[in-house]
C-alpha cells in the first residue's frame, strides 16, 4: 500500500470524530467517567500506534473491555480498575516477549462470532439505565441491572431520555445505510445536545464537568496490599486486551492488500498502552475493531492516521471540554446501542449456523457464556468445546477409515507435480481434516506459492471441514486471485459442500466454471485456460509443497 500523508491525516480526523462519542460512552459505562474514556483514547491510542504491530490499528476504550470492567469497578472501585490495568499491561508485555501472538491464529471462527454476539448483547443491555434516564441500579450482573432499571422506569417514566437515546440510535443506523461515509454518530450527538440545551430538557442529564486537559501522571492509586486480590481480574483484562487487539489487527489485514501485522509486536504495543493509560486515569485499552475498520475504509496507509486520531482527541480534551460536558448521557447511550446493533453481522451468524452442527453449537454456547459469565471464560469454554467436537469428528472419520480414498492424480506424485510446474500449474493436495488448528498453517503455505498461474486444490482427501477451515480456504482463494493466480478445485466431496457453501467459498469457482469432479479434468481445464491466455511452458520452478509438507521459510 502506497503511503499518502494527506490521506492519513484525513483518515485520522475521521476516526477521531467517530471515536469521540465512543470514548465518552465507554468511559461512562465503565464507571470511571467520560474523562477516563478520553484519557484512554489519547494515551493508549498514541502509544499503541507507535509501538504496535499493525500499521492500521486504532486503539482505545472498547465495549468488550467495558463489559469486563463493570464488575471490577463494583467490587474494587476506580483505584482497583487502574491497578488492574497496570498489572494487565505487564502481563500483555510478558505475552509479547514469550511470542504468544502467533497462537491467536488457532481461535475457531465460531468462537469469535459467538464472542462478538455476546459482547453486543451485553453492551446493549448496559445502556438501558442511561437510555431510560434512571440511576444505574447496584449490581454487576447485566441482566439483573437491566431488569431493575426497567422497573424503575415503569414507576417513574423519563420519556425525554428515552426519546434522545432512540433518536440518536435511529439516526446512526439509518444514516449508515443512507450515507456510509458520513460520521452520523457525532452528528446525532451534536443534534441531541443542541435540542437538550435549546429546549432546556432538564430530564436529560448531561455528562457533567470534564477536566480541561489530561491529569498529571501518578501512581497514587496503587494499593500494594490489594495486588494479590487484583491479580485474577488483571489476568482476565490482559487476556481480553490481547484477544481483541489481535482480532482487530486480523480484520485490518483482511480489509487490505499487502498489509500484515506482527502479532507479538502488537501485543508489546498494547502492553505499553495499558501500562501508561492508568497513570493518566484511563481504563484498560484494546485494538478497536470498529475504529480500525473506519481507518482502513477512509484510506489510511500508515501509523500516522492512528496518531492523528489521538492528537485530535487530545486537542478536543484541552479546547472543548466545556462543550463536551453538556452532552446528554442518554445520547451516548444511543451511540452505544447503535454500536451494539452494528456489531452483529447477521450474514456471518447465519453462515456459521449453517456450516456444521458443531459450529452452531459452539457459537450459541460462546454467546450465552459471554452474556451469563465472564468474557474470558466464554472464550475458553468455546475453544474447549470446539476442540472436543473437532476430535470427535476426527475419531468418527478414523472409524470410517475403510473407505477407499483413491489418489486422483495418476502416476508418481512428485514426478507428475514437477511436470505440471513446468506448465505454470500447481496441483495442491489437502489431506485429512481441515479444522481451525490446521487451517491457518495451510493458508500460510498456500499463499506462499510463487511463480505459478493456476493452483488446483485437490480436495478428495479432506476427511472433515468446519467453518473456520472453509473461511480460511475462501481467504486463500481470494488472496491468490488478487495475485493473478487462477484457483481451480477437484474432488469436492458431498459432505464438504455445506460448510463451503455457507461461507461463500464455492461461489466464485462455480460462476467461473473452475470446479471439477476429478484432478485430471481440472488439469485439462488449467491447460485450456493457459492456452487461452497465451502462456507457454517454461522451465520448471521450485517444487511447491503439499499440505502435509513443511512450509518454506
Amino acid at each position: 500500500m502506497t503511503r499518502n500523508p494527506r490521506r492519513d491525516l484525513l483518515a485520522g480526523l475521521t476516526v477521531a470524530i467517530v471515536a469521540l462519542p465512543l470514548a465518552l460512552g465507554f468511559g461512562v459505562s465503565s464507571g470511571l467517567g467520560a474523562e477516563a474514556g478520553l484519557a484512554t483514547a489519547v494515551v493508549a491510542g498514541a502509544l499503541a500506534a507507535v509501538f504496535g504491530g499493525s500499521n492500521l490499528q486504532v486503539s482505545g476504550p472498547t465495549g468488550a473491555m467495558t463489559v469486563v470492567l463493570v464488575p471490577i469497578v463494583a467490587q474494587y472501585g476506580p483505584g482497583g480498575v487502574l491497578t488492574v490495568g497496570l498489572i494487565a499491561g505487564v502481563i500483555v508485555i510478558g505475552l509479547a516477549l514469550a511470542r504468544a501472538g502467533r497462537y491467536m491464529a488457532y481461535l475457531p471462527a465460531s468462537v469469535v462470532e459467538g464472542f462478538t454476539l455476546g459482547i453486543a448483547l451485553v453492551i446493549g443491555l448496559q445502556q438501558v439505565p442511561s437510555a431510560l434516564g434512571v440511576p444505574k441500579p447496584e449490581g454487576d450482573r447485566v441482566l439483573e441491572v437491566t431488569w431493575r432499571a426497567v422497573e424503575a422506569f415503569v414507576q417513574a417514566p423519563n420519556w425525554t431520555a428515552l426519546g434522545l437515546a432512540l433518536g440518536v440510535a435511529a439516526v446512526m443506523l439509518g444514516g449508515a445505510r443512507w450515507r456510509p461515509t458520513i460520521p452520523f454518530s457525532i452528528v446525532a450527538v451534536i443534534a441531541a445536545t443542541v435540542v437538550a440545551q435549546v429546549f432546556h430538557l432538564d430530564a436529560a442529564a448531561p455528562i457533567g464537568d470534564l477536566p480541561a486537559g489530561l491529569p498529571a501522571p501518578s501512581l497514587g492509586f496503587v494499593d500494594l496490599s490489594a495486588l494479590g486480590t487484583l491479580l485474577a481480574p488483571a489476568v482476565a483484562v490482559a487476556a481480553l486486551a490481547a484477544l481483541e487487539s489481535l482480532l482487530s489487527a486480523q480484520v485490518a489485514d483482511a480489509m487490505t492488500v499487502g498489509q500484515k501485522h506482527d502479532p507479538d509486536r502488537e501485543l508489546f504495543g498494547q502492553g505499553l498502552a495499558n501500562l501508561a493509560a492508568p497513570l493518566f486515569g484511563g481504563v484498560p485499552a484494546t485494538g478497536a475493531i470498529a475504529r480500525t475498520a473506519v481507518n482502513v475504509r477512509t484510506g489510511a496507509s500508515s501509523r500516522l492516521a492512528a496518531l492523528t486520531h489521538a492528537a485530535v482527541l487530545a486537542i478536543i480534551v484541552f479546547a472543548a471540554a466545556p462543550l463536551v460536558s453538556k452532552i446528554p448521557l442518554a445520547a451516548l447511550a444511543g451511540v452505544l446501542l447503535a454500536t451494539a446493533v452494528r456489531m452483529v453481522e447477521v450474514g456471518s451468524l447465519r453462515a456459521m449456523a449453517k456450516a456444521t452442527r458443531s459450529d452452531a453449537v459452539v457459537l450459541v454456547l460462546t454467546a450465552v457464556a459471554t452474556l451469563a459469565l465472564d468474557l474470558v471464560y466464554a472464550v475458553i469454554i468455546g475453544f474447549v468445546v470446539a476442540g472436543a467436537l473437532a476430535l470427535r469428528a476426527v475419531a468418527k472419520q478414523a472409524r470410517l477409515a475403510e473407505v477407499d480414498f483413491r489418489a486422483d492424480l495418476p502416476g508418481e506424485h512428485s514426478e507428475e507435480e514437477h511436470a505440471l510446474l513446468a506448465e505454470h500449474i500447481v496441483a495442491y493436495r489437502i489431506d485429512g481434516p481441515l479444522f481451525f488448528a490446521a487451517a491457518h498453517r495451510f493458508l500460510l503455505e498456500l499463499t506462499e506459492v510463487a511463480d505459478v498461474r493456476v493452483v488446483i486444490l485437490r480436495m478428495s482427501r479432506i476427511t472433515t471441514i468446519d467453518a473456520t477451515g472453509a473461511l480460511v480456504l475462501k481467504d486463500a482463494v481470494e488472496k491468490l486471485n488478487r495475485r493473478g493466480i487462477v484457483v481451480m478445485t477437484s474432488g469436492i466431496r458431498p459432505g464438504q459442500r455445506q460448510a463451503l457453501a455457507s461461507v461463500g467459498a464455492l461461489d466464485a469457482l462455480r460462476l467461473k466454471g473452475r470446479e471439477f469432479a476429478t484432478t485430471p479434468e481440472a488439469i485439462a481445464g488449467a491447460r485450456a485456460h493457459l492456452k487461452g491466455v497465451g502462456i507457454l511452458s517454461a522451465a520448471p520452478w521450485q517444487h511447491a509443497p503439499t499440505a502435509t509438507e513443511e512450509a518454506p521459510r
Side-chain angles (χ1 to χ4, degrees):
M1 183 181 289
T2 304
R3 293 191 175 184
N4 187 328
R6 183 178 178 182
R7 189 182 297 174
D8 285 333
L9 292 172
L10 180 60
L13 176 61
T14 304
V15 174
I17 292 173
V18 172
L20 176 60
L22 293 174
L24 294 170
F26 289 136
V28 171
S29 293
S30 70
L32 270 71
E35 62 273 18
L38 283 174
T40 303
V42 173
V43 177
L47 286 173
V50 174
F51 296 101
S54 171
N55 291 329
L56 305 177
Q57 177 94 285
V58 178
S59 300
T62 64
M65 186 60 74
T66 300
V67 172
V68 172
L69 295 180
V70 169
I72 298 176
V73 173
Q75 186 171 358
Y76 301 105
V81 170
L82 298 179
T83 305
V84 162
L86 200 67
I87 300 172
V90 174
I91 294 173
V92 174
I93 290 176
L95 291 174
L97 296 178
R99 305 186 65 81
R102 71 190 77 177
Y103 298 108
M104 178 63 216
Y106 297 110
L107 192 66
S110 53
V111 173
V112 175
E113 291 293 340
F115 177 73
T116 304
L117 174 60
I119 289 172
L121 292 172
V122 175
I123 292 173
L125 292 174
Q126 282 181 343
Q127 307 319 307
V128 171
S130 294
L132 296 180
V134 300
K136 184 179 178 181
E138 294 292 331
D140 57 0
R141 295 293 179 184
V142 67
L143 292 174
E144 180 184 354
V145 169
T146 301
W147 179 253
R148 290 180 180 176
V150 171
E151 287 181 331
F153 179 81
V154 170
Q155 294 172 5
N158 185 340
W159 299 109
T160 300
L162 180 60
L164 286 176
L166 294 181
V168 169
V171 169
M172 285 182 61
L173 296 174
R177 285 179 168 272
W178 177 52
R179 289 286 190 274
T181 56
I182 298 176
F184 278 98
S185 58
I186 196 70
V187 172
V189 167
I190 291 174
T193 305
V194 170
V195 168
Q197 292 298 309
V198 170
F199 293 98
H200 304 287
L201 302 180
D202 297 332
I207 292 176
D209 293 337
L210 291 174
L214 295 175
S218 171
L219 284 170
F221 57 85
V222 176
D223 180 2
L224 296 179
S225 63
L227 292 181
T229 59
L230 294 175
L231 183 59
V235 170
V237 167
L240 181 59
L243 173 67
E244 190 174 16
S245 298
L246 293 177
L247 278 176
S248 180
Q250 283 187 355
V251 169
D253 289 350
M255 294 176 66
T256 59
V257 177
Q259 289 280 355
K260 187 174 182 180
H261 73 283
D262 180 336
D264 297 314
R265 181 178 172 182
E266 180 61 28
L267 289 180
F268 183 76
Q270 294 296 335
L272 285 181
N274 279 290
L275 265 179
L279 304 181
F280 296 88
V283 296
T286 74
I289 294 176
R291 275 155 276 176
T292 299
V294 170
N295 196 38
V296 175
R297 291 193 186 105
T298 48
S301 59
S302 74
R303 300 167 189 268
L304 178 60
L307 274 173
T308 302
H309 137 270
V312 171
L313 290 177
I315 293 171
I316 292 173
V317 170
F318 283 97
L323 295 176
V324 173
S325 66
K326 298 183 184 300
I327 296 174
L329 289 171
L332 295 181
V335 170
L336 299 188
L337 284 171
T339 301
V341 172
R342 291 166 64 176
M343 285 177 66
V344 180
E345 294 287 347
V346 177
S348 297
L349 294 176
R350 186 182 296 116
M352 204 64 56
K354 290 181 177 179
T356 67
R357 186 177 300 175
S358 295
D359 286 308
V361 168
V362 171
L363 187 152
V364 172
L365 184 62
T366 305
V368 171
T370 301
L371 185 61
L373 303 173
D374 180 85
L375 269 72
V376 177
Y377 285 142
V379 172
I380 293 173
I381 290 171
F383 189 85
V384 170
V385 172
L389 292 174
L391 289 174
R392 177 176 175 271
V394 171
K396 182 178 179 181
Q397 290 297 327
R399 290 195 298 270
L400 299 176
E402 65 271 12
V403 177
D404 179 25
F405 298 123
R406 63 181 179 83
D408 51 7
L409 185 63
E412 182 65 29
H413 295 320
S414 59
E415 294 178 5
E416 187 71 18
E417 287 168 354
H418 277 293
L420 288 174
L421 284 170
E423 302 180 58
H424 307 260
I425 301 170
V426 167
Y428 196 107
R429 189 183 71 227
I430 310 171
D431 291 324
L434 191 59
F435 276 135
F436 60 86
H440 293 273
R441 177 174 175 269
F442 157 72
L443 170 62
L444 291 175
E445 293 176 352
L446 184 58
T447 52
E448 287 174 355
V449 172
D451 297 329
V452 296
R453 303 302 174 91
V454 179
V455 169
I456 299 172
L457 300 180
R458 301 165 55 198
M459 301 179 63
S460 64
R461 294 194 178 189
I462 295 179
T463 54
T464 309
I465 185 169
D466 69 351
T468 304
L471 283 170
V472 169
L473 185 65
K474 177 186 177 183
D475 189 31
V477 171
E478 291 175 347
K479 285 186 176 180
L480 289 169
N481 286 162
R482 285 198 294 266
R483 293 176 55 190
I485 299 174
V486 171
V487 180
M488 300 180 176
T489 61
S490 69
I492 297 178
R493 300 162 62 82
Q496 303 165 7
R497 290 191 176 276
Q498 182 176 353
L500 292 170
S502 69
V503 299
L506 292 181
D507 290 347
L509 298 171
R510 288 172 175 166
L511 289 175
K512 298 180 181 179
R514 295 174 179 172
E515 180 189 346
F516 298 89
T518 66
T519 299
E521 291 175 3
I523 293 173
R527 287 169 173 161
H529 168 76
L530 294 177
K531 184 177 181 181
V533 297
I535 297 177
L536 302 177
S537 297
W541 287 275
Q542 184 181 2
H543 169 57
T546 64
T548 54
E549 295 175 346
E550 184 177 354
R553 300 188 182 277

